[in-house]
Amino acid sequence: MGRLIAMTLAYLAYLLPTAIGGQKQQHRVQHGPCSYTFILPEVDNCRPSKDYQFTDAPQRDSPPEAENDAGQSKQRQDQRERPSWQERKLESLESAMENNTQWLQKLENFIQENVRSGMEEIKRSAVHTQTAAMLEMGTNLLSRSAEQTRKLTDVETQVLNQTSRLEIQLLEYSLFTNRLEKHILLQTQEISRLSDKNSFLEQRLLALEARYGKELQSLQSEKEQLQHLLERQGQLVGQLQGELGSSTLNSTLIQSQQAMLTDTVQKLLTKVNHCNEVSSIPKKEPHHFRDCAEILRSGVKESGVYSIRLHNSTRDVEVFCDMKIQGGGWTVLQHRRNGSVDFHRGWKEYKMGFGEPSGEHWLGNEIIHKLTSSQEYSLHVQLKDREGNEAYSHYDRFYIDGEESNYSLHAEGFSGTAGRTSSLTHTGSQFSTKDRDNDSCTCKCAQLASGGWWFEACGPSNLNGIYYPASSNVVRYNGIKWYYWKGPNTMATMTTMMVRPANF
Ligand SMILES: *[C@@H]1O[C@H](CO)[C@@H](O)[C@H](O)[C@H]1NC(C)=O
Ligand SMILES: *[C@@H]1O[C@H](CO)[C@@H](O)[C@H](O)[C@H]1NC(C)=O
Ligand SMILES: *[C@@H]1O[C@H](CO)[C@@H](O)[C@H](O)[C@H]1NC(C)=O
Ligand SMILES: *[C@@H]1O[C@H](CO)[C@@H](O)[C@H](O)[C@H]1NC(C)=O
Ligand SMILES: *[C@@H]1O[C@H](CO)[C@@H](O)[C@H](O)[C@H]1NC(C)=O
Ligand SMILES: *[C@@H]1O[C@H](CO)[C@@H](O)[C@H](O)[C@H]1NC(C)=O
Ligand SMILES: CC(=O)N[C@H]1CO[C@H](CO)[C@@H](O)[C@@H]1O
C-alpha cells in the first residue's frame, strides 16, 4: 500500500511541473472506464535558457525522466531545424508514453485490485462490526423503546386514571356546586323573605311604638288632668267639709224654723178645710179611692188607668183597673203583652214599680204590700197563650209582707183553669231580684230565671221572666213560666196579675 502511494506521488510529481507552465496542451487518454488527461506545456512561449535546470525534488527521484523531459523540451525547440531527430524523439516519446501508460495501467490495476480487496475487506469487516453494533444498538434501542413505551403506557394509564378521577371529582364538584348554588339560592330567597317579613314587622313595630307613644302621651296628659281634678276635688271637699260644719250648725236652726212653718201650715190647712166644708160640700164625692173596686162601685165601668190613694198615704198612685173580668173591679199589679218592657231589673225598681199602667208594668212591691195589707184581697192571674186560649189561677187570699220581710208571699185558696196545682210557690217565699238573692236555692234563681219573683228553689212560676214572643219547643228556663198550666214549653203571651177585695 505504501508503495502504491509512493508511486502515485512520484508520477504526480513528474506531471505537476508541466501543468504549471503558461500555455498548455491537453491530452486525453481513455483507458477502459478510466480517462486520463495530460496537460502538456506549450512550446511557443518557451525560450530555452542556459541556466535552465530542474531544481525540484521529484527530479532527483527520477532523473532520467527529468533529463528526458528537459531533453524533450530541448528537442521541441530544435524540431523546426532538425525534423528527423524530432521524429525519433517522438517515437521514443511515444514509447515512453506507452511505457507510462502500461505502467499506469499496471498501477491502476494494482490500485484497483488493492482498493477493491481492501475496500471489500474493510467493507465486510466494517459491515460486520457495524451490523453487530447496529444490531446490538438496535436491540438495545428496541428494548429501551419497549421499556419506554411500557413506561409511557404506564404513565398514560396513570394520567388517564388521574384524568378520569379528576373528571369524576370535577363532576362531583360541579354537582356539589350545583347543589350548593341551589341551596344558596334557596337561602337567599329565604333571607330575602325573612328580611321582607322583618321589615314589615319593623314597620308594624314602629307603627305600634308610635301609637303606644301617642297613647302614653295622651294617658299621661289624662293622668295630669286627673291629678289636677283630684287636687280640685280635694279643695272642693275641704270647702264642702267647711260648709258641712257650718250647715250642721244651721240645720238645728232650720229645723226649728221648719217646725214653726209646719205649725203655720197646719193652721192654714185647717182654715182651708173649714173654708172648703163651708163652700162646697158635694165636691168631696170624687175623693180618694183605695182601689179599683171602689172606683167600680162609684159607677165607673170602663177599664183604664185611674188614680187611687193608699191607706195612710198622701200620694196618688196610677193604676190600671180591669172592669171586665169576672165582674171587674180589679186593680192590676202586673201586666205583660208584647215584651216591650224589660223585666230583668233590680230590687229597688221592683220595690218602686216600673213601666206604664196602660202598658206592660209592675206596680211595685211597696204599693202591693201596702194595698194588700190594708184589707183582705184575692188574687187573679189571667193568662193567654199564642193561640189566644185564656186561662186563670185564682187565690182567695193574697198579700205580701213589707220590705223587712223581703216581701214574703202569702197566697191561699187556689182554684182556676191554669193547672190543677198552684204554680205559685208556697206561702212565705221571699222576693228575689238579680241583685238581692233570697231564694232557697244555692244558685241565684233571679239570675238564672231572670226578673224578680218569689222564687223558692226557682219554683214552677215566674211571670216576670223574659218575654219570648214566639214560643218554641226549646225549654227556656228564663222565660215567662206558669208551669202547671201547660208545662215548661208553652209560655204565655199575655199575663195579668190583679187583686180585688176578697169580699167583693
Ligand atoms: C520501459 O521501461 C522499462 C523499465 O522501466 C525499460 O526496461 C524498457 O526499456 C522501456 N521501454 C522502452 C521502449 O522505453
Ligand atoms: C386508579 O388508580 C387507583 C390506585 O392508584 C386504583 O385503585 C383505581 O382502580 C384506578 N382506577 C382506574 C379507573 O383505573
Ligand atoms: C247659716 O244661716 C245663716 C242665717 O240663718 C246664713 O246666712 C248662712 O249662710 C247659713 N250658712 C250655711 C252654711 O248655710
Ligand atoms: C207594646 O204595647 C204597647 C202598648 O200597647 C205599645 O205602645 C208598644 O208599642 C208595643 N210594643 C211592641 C214592641 O209591640
Ligand atoms: C195607718 O196609720 C195608723 C196610725 O198612724 C196605723 O195604726 C195603721 O196601722 C196604718 N195603716 C196602714 C195600712 O198602714
Ligand atoms: C232579706 O234578705 C236579706 C238579703 O237578701 C237578708 O239579709 C235578710 O235576712 C232577709 N230577711 C229576712 C227576714 O229573711
Ligand atoms: C240569703 C238570705 O237572706 N236568705 C234568707 C232568705 O229567706 C229565708 C227565709 O225564706 C231565710 O231563711 C234566709 O236566711
Side-chain angles (χ1 to χ4, degrees):
M1 198 66 158
R3 201 162 57 94
L4 176 79
I5 291 167
M7 272 167 72
T8 315
L9 278 172
Y11 183 69
L12 283 174
Y14 157 73
L15 287 178
L16 195 65
T18 57
I20 287 167
Q23 295 300 107
K24 288 142 203 166
Q25 268 187 350
Q26 287 190 358
H27 295 269
R28 175 167 288 200
V29 177
Q30 191 75 27
H31 187 86
C34 298
S35 72
Y36 302 94
T37 307
F38 297 93
I39 301 162
L40 300 176
E42 212 50 45
V43 187
D44 303 340
N45 297 346
C46 265
R47 286 285 172 275
S49 60
K50 286 170 185 163
D51 54 334
Y52 184 79
Q53 293 179 323
F54 290 98
T55 50
D56 286 301
Q59 197 181 7
R60 261 176 286 153
D61 280 346
S62 52
E65 274 94 358
E67 263 179 17
N68 220 4
D69 207 31
Q72 190 184 353
S73 61
K74 224 182 235 175
Q75 278 164 14
R76 274 190 193 171
Q77 218 178 353
D78 300 336
Q79 211 168 5
R80 275 167 229 161
E81 296 140 29
R82 295 169 296 201
S84 57
W85 182 80
Q86 246 179 0
E87 272 169 13
R88 266 191 287 137
K89 197 73 187 168
L90 196 64
E91 271 171 29
S92 76
L93 265 174
E94 269 173 5
S95 71
M97 241 335 223
E98 196 93 3
N99 211 349
N100 268 337
T101 313
Q102 279 171 7
W103 191 75
L104 270 174
Q105 210 165 350
K106 267 191 227 165
L107 181 68
E108 194 198 313
N109 284 342
F110 184 77
I111 285 168
Q112 269 182 352
E113 216 171 308
N114 263 325
V115 164
R116 199 176 298 143
S117 68
M119 281 297 274
E120 267 170 21
E121 210 174 318
I122 283 163
K123 261 187 199 165
R124 216 172 294 136
S125 67
V127 162
H128 270 298
T129 49
Q130 264 183 6
T131 40
M134 288 289 271
L135 274 171
E136 213 178 291
M137 265 170 71
T139 48
N140 246 340
L141 278 170
L142 269 173
S143 63
R144 260 192 222 168
S145 67
E147 210 176 323
Q148 293 284 349
T149 23
R150 215 179 54 236
K151 272 184 191 167
L152 268 173
T153 47
D154 273 6
V155 167
E156 206 179 33
T157 50
Q158 268 181 21
V159 164
L160 273 173
N161 188 346
Q162 292 281 356
T163 327
S164 63
R165 247 183 36 219
L166 281 173
E167 270 174 3
I168 288 162
Q169 271 184 7
L170 209 71
L171 214 75
E172 275 172 7
Y173 279 137
S174 70
L175 277 173
F176 187 67
T177 323
N178 267 8
R179 275 219 315 273
L180 268 179
E181 270 175 4
K182 270 188 204 160
H183 199 71
I184 283 163
L185 211 78
L186 278 175
Q187 292 283 349
T188 40
Q189 280 174 359
E190 184 79 359
I191 282 163
S192 68
R193 231 188 56 218
L194 280 174
S195 70
D196 279 2
K197 219 165 136 185
N198 200 25
S199 63
F200 175 69
L201 282 174
E202 268 178 8
Q203 278 176 2
R204 267 186 64 184
L205 197 77
L206 281 174
L208 280 174
E209 269 178 5
R211 234 180 64 200
Y212 282 130
K214 267 188 214 161
E215 274 177 20
L216 209 75
Q217 271 184 352
S218 68
L219 279 173
Q220 268 178 346
S221 66
E222 264 178 39
K223 192 183 151 193
E224 275 168 22
Q225 274 179 7
L226 280 173
Q227 270 180 345
H228 206 67
L229 243 153
L230 213 74
E231 276 171 26
R232 265 182 38 206
Q233 295 268 353
Q235 284 174 0
L236 257 162
V237 164
Q239 258 183 28
L240 282 172
Q241 272 176 345
E243 275 175 27
L244 197 75
S246 58
S247 67
T248 39
L249 274 172
N250 274 11
S251 66
T252 46
L253 215 138
I254 286 163
Q255 271 174 352
S256 62
Q257 278 179 354
Q258 202 184 14
M260 264 167 62
L261 273 170
T262 43
D263 219 43
T264 48
V265 164
Q266 211 82 44
K267 276 179 196 162
L268 275 170
L269 270 173
T270 49
K271 273 186 188 167
V272 165
N273 275 348
H274 191 72
C275 281
N276 275 352
E277 270 167 33
V278 169
S279 61
S280 55
I281 293 162
K283 217 182 175 181
K284 214 188 173 182
E285 241 344 90
H287 200 46
H288 310 295
F289 301 108
R290 279 162 63 187
D291 55 28
C292 292
E294 280 191 0
I295 294 171
L296 181 75
R297 267 194 223 105
S298 76
V300 178
K301 305 281 187 220
E302 289 293 311
S303 296
V305 178
Y306 296 95
S307 280
I308 60 164
R309 179 163 292 191
L310 298 174
H311 201 59
N312 278 3
S313 169
T314 52
R315 192 167 69 93
D316 284 342
V317 178
E318 299 241 292
V319 295
F320 189 89
C321 295
D322 189 299
M323 306 302 196
K324 297 267 153 48
I325 290 170
Q326 293 189 359
W330 297 102
T331 306
V332 174
L333 309 180
Q334 186 260 21
H335 182 60
R336 322 239 354 222
R337 67 158 164 255
N338 60 9
S340 58
V341 172
D342 175 23
F343 272 65
H344 195 50
R345 297 182 186 232
W347 184 267
K348 220 171 180 176
E349 285 164 291
Y350 269 98
K351 178 184 176 181
M352 303 312 292
F354 54 84
E356 290 300 319
S358 58
E360 296 197 325
H361 72 285
W362 180 256
L363 190 59
N365 287 337
E366 204 57 38
I367 298 167
I368 296 168
H369 158 64
K370 278 186 180 148
L371 185 68
T372 57
S373 58
S374 64
Q375 66 178 97
E376 284 199 354
Y377 274 92
S378 59
L379 172 71
H380 187 87
V381 178
Q382 189 73 27
L383 303 167
K384 192 193 270 183
D385 67 11
R386 280 179 71 212
E387 286 79 37
N389 306 313
E390 293 202 39
Y392 72 90
S393 287
H394 187 87
Y395 299 87
D396 291 333
R397 175 94 178 90
F398 166 80
Y399 71 94
I400 63 171
D401 292 326
E403 190 177 16
E404 68 281 354
S405 302
N406 297 329
Y407 305 117
S408 298
L409 173 78
H410 301 270
E412 289 153 17
F414 169 77
S415 64
T417 55
R420 285 185 207 157
T421 319
S422 168
S423 293
L424 215 52
T425 47
H426 301 297
T427 286
S429 295
Q430 296 188 0
F431 200 82
S432 289
T433 55
K434 60 183 176 185
D435 55 347
R436 188 151 163 180
D437 177 53
N438 198 44
D439 52 46
S440 333
C441 179
T442 47
C443 61
K444 294 188 172 182
C445 295
Q447 283 179 10
L448 272 178
S450 157
W453 197 251
W454 301 274
F455 301 105
E456 182 68 16
C458 295
S461 66
N462 174 19
L463 296 185
N464 292 337
I466 289 173
Y467 190 97
Y468 291 108
S471 79
S472 64
N473 292 330
V474 181
V475 180
R476 310 271 197 184
Y477 289 107
N478 56 2
I480 294 171
K481 187 159 66 176
W482 200 256
Y483 183 82
Y484 294 110
W485 177 32
K486 289 195 168 179
N489 288 356
T490 310
M491 286 169 281
T493 55
M494 196 198 77
T495 69
T496 313
M497 289 171 73
M498 46 202 185
V499 291
R500 186 168 72 175
N503 57 5
F504 182 79

